[in-house]
Amino acid sequence: MKILNGAEIAGYMKENQAHTARSLRASGVTPKLVIIRNNDDPVIMKYVGLKQQYGEDIGVEVEDWLRNDIATAIEEANNDKSVHGVIVQLPLKGESNVDELVKEISALKDVDGLASQWTSTGEIKFESATATAINWLLSGYNIDLNGKRIALVGHGRLVGAPLERMWRSSGYDVTVFRSKSDLSELVDYDVIVSATGKPHLIKDQMVKTGAVVVDAGTASEGGFLVGDVDDVVRERKDLTAITPKVGGVGPLTVATLFEHVLMAAR
């Protein structure tokens, strides 16, 4: 069974990214990412911290903006020529118009790919960082999706919706499972990607022998970050591949985000 280690692939990317950042700085361009948030939840702060550390490691400036007025902050970052990437760190606290807010991020700076699904095809510059990371992760471990039945559990703006669009455009057989779907039917699928943030949602009996399982869910349970896939599933030896409990999709998502920042800076 293959362990889909996103941290390993991210490590290779990081070396190249540091070289690119040095080249940009030598030419007078300092790559900069702005993170806009109104939430200081511990899970949020963990992800902000990871991005700040990654940026420091490769030579990209990362500014953390804690603001009450998200729309004004986005406008400010859009208009700042020294800023190459803008992300809104979700979830936002007390905001009901998240979709409208992320649409305000400039397409040239939307390095998280959050707003891309709301623009016309011709305006999309960056796909979702998380969806792209999952695609790269499977490709990096030679997981061929042609002819496979693929289940996407969850249809959020970060993972499910952009991944469905991406894979359908590639001609793959994709089925979306939403909140009221019968998850017992997952046992009929060759590839399962779950991104709901509901701990232990994907049970052992839902996963068939030989399946590929990607856990892209994140939640806090007892002070620890946990995914959607139950630990019993990870103990099985009869799967084709599965992401580890730590170091799967997350590290590669961060690497993909900074790849987009460097592309924008170039």
Side-chain angles (χ1 to χ4, degrees):
M1 181 179 70
K2 295 179 180 178
I3 301 299
L4 302 174
N5 189 339
E8 185 174 359
I9 298 175
Y12 295 127
M13 293 176 65
K14 200 171 187 178
E15 293 181 16
N16 292 329
Q17 289 169 345
H19 175 75
T20 300
R22 285 194 298 270
S23 297
L24 284 166
R25 284 174 174 266
S27 67
V29 177
T30 301
K32 183 187 291 187
L33 169 69
V34 165
I35 302 172
I36 301 171
R37 62 182 175 89
N38 70 354
N39 195 336
D40 57 2
D41 177 89
V43 174
I44 294 293
M45 296 312 300
K46 178 179 177 61
Y47 282 112
V48 170
L50 287 172
K51 290 164 187 168
Q52 289 176 316
Q53 184 61 59
Y54 194 101
E56 182 178 336
D57 289 346
I58 67 171
V60 173
E61 286 190 11
V62 178
E63 294 186 0
D64 175 25
W65 293 7
L66 177 61
R67 303 287 182 85
N68 290 323
D69 190 338
I70 300 297
T72 299
I74 291 172
E75 182 180 11
E76 180 183 339
N78 281 343
N79 293 331
D80 187 338
K81 292 182 179 180
S82 73
V83 174
H84 303 101
V86 179
I87 68 171
V88 173
Q89 188 67 54
L90 300 178
L92 294 174
K93 184 167 57 178
E95 291 283 359
S96 59
N97 62 333
V98 174
D99 294 343
E100 294 301 316
L101 285 172
V102 297
K103 279 197 298 185
E104 297 304 316
I105 301 173
S106 165
L108 297 175
K109 300 185 179 186
D110 179 29
V111 291
D112 216 6
L114 273 185
S116 64
Q117 62 184 301
W118 305 107
T119 62
S120 66
T121 302
E123 294 175 334
I124 292 177
K125 185 168 180 64
F126 300 109
E127 279 286 5
S128 158
T130 307
T132 300
I134 292 171
N135 207 35
W136 285 353
L137 181 62
L138 294 177
S139 176
Y141 281 91
N142 299 313
I143 304 296
D144 186 3
L145 299 180
N146 284 299
K148 301 292 196 302
R149 296 191 70 196
I150 303 169
L152 296 180
V153 185
H155 199 251
R157 65 175 63 82
L158 287 172
V159 186
L163 199 53
E164 180 195 15
R165 182 180 64 244
M166 186 185 300
W167 281 351
R168 285 195 191 281
S169 68
S170 297
Y172 298 142
D173 179 6
V174 180
T175 300
V176 175
F177 284 74
R178 302 174 188 266
S179 58
K180 295 183 179 180
S181 299
D182 183 1
L183 296 185
S184 67
E185 296 178 2
L186 289 175
V187 73
D188 297 323
Y189 288 80
D190 305 301
V191 179
I192 299 172
V193 178
S194 187
T196 68
K198 298 178 180 178
H200 316 294
L201 178 69
I202 308 302
K203 305 294 187 184
D204 185 35
Q205 63 271 23
M206 300 175 184
V207 183
K208 74 176 185 178
T209 297
V212 174
V213 181
V214 176
D215 188 351
T218 304
S220 179
E221 185 179 67
F224 296 94
L225 293 178
V226 295
D228 291 357
V229 176
D230 194 80
D231 288 344
V232 175
V233 180
R234 300 186 193 283
E235 296 170 1
R236 289 173 52 172
K237 305 298 183 183
D238 62 345
L239 303 179
T240 295
I242 190 169
T243 50
K245 193 168 185 177
V246 177
V249 175
L252 195 50
T253 296
V254 174
T256 304
L257 171 69
F258 280 91
E259 189 72 17
H260 290 172
V261 173
L262 293 170
M263 289 169 61
R266 286 199 297 267

